Amino acid sequence: MKKLSALLFITLLAAFLTACGNENTEKDSNAEKAENSQSEENKSTDPPAKDDVSDVELTVDAEKTYLWKASSGETQLSYYTKVVNESDKPVDASNAAIAFNNKDNGQKIALDDSEITITPYIIAPGNSAFISVQQSGVDLDTDTPISAELQANLTPAEKSADYADVDYINVGMGDTGLVLEGEISNPSLESVTGKFEVVSALYNGQEFLGTMNTSVDATLPPKVPIGFKITEPPFPDVALEKIDSYEALVYIIR
């Protein structure tokens, strides 16, 4: 009887331990599933990295291309475009480029020492920027059909671009061509040090004709206006007589 009781006790103990083991294993499995589920949920709700601008694109709002004879007799290519950052991230577009192609045969047009200007090169969410390309001595006929392609090459913005006040602006003809001048002022109560970028967009009614740009590194005292004047680069002669309106924007990069 003693042997039988001992055997029965051992059998019951083994069954109890097996049940406990299965319960613990099930608990561990459920805990692991819950942890994995929470991990997947966190992955789906984690915000994207702030320095990721791979999904940002600049939308072309307007553009104009000219092949024209400058006063030097050389054929010059002038290209202007207005782009918009429709994302929620500020971007640095200073490495942007423009690729040109012949519309008739699709061949790439190679340009040497072309000058590209981007104002402002820091583009805040929802803001616009103006890009211009100037190339002298182009070996093309002035009636060559050209298409342009923006290669943005965007990077995360490490600086900010704010607006300054434009007190007045005037566009007229000078001895060397089109002259744009005006005054800007610092709307804040403190001096502002940075790169002041000025761009004027030129129009014929609603038609975008191009831009004129300049920039200067300066310290602007509060409420004290400073003047600016733009005479270069030369604006295409074919568009000069069309200008009937213009706007000026001044950005402070700091």
Side-chain angles (χ1 to χ4, degrees), residues 37-49:
S37 176
Q38 183 66 36
S39 176
E40 290 299 321
E41 184 178 349
N42 289 340
K43 285 181 182 178
S44 64
T45 58
D46 283 343

Side-chain angles (χ1 to χ4, degrees), residues 182-252:
E183 284 187 350
I184 60 177
S185 62
N186 171 11
S188 72
L189 298 178
E190 299 178 354
S191 294
V192 174
T193 299
K195 187 181 187 69
F196 291 82
E197 298 192 336
V198 183
V199 59
S200 177
L202 310 174
Y203 298 91
N204 175 253
Q206 298 298 316
E207 181 187 5
F208 174 67
L209 298 177
T211 61
M212 297 184 70
N213 313 73
T214 190
S215 64
V216 61
D217 294 312
T219 297
L220 190 58
K223 308 302 180 181
V224 176
I226 61 172
F228 64 87
K229 189 174 184 179
I230 309 173
T231 58
E232 294 292 339
F235 200 72
D237 296 338
V238 67
L240 286 176
E241 60 187 25
K242 293 184 178 182
I243 300 172
D244 62 12
S245 61
Y246 42 83
E247 63 175 334
L249 298 172
V250 180
Y251 303 88
I252 308 171

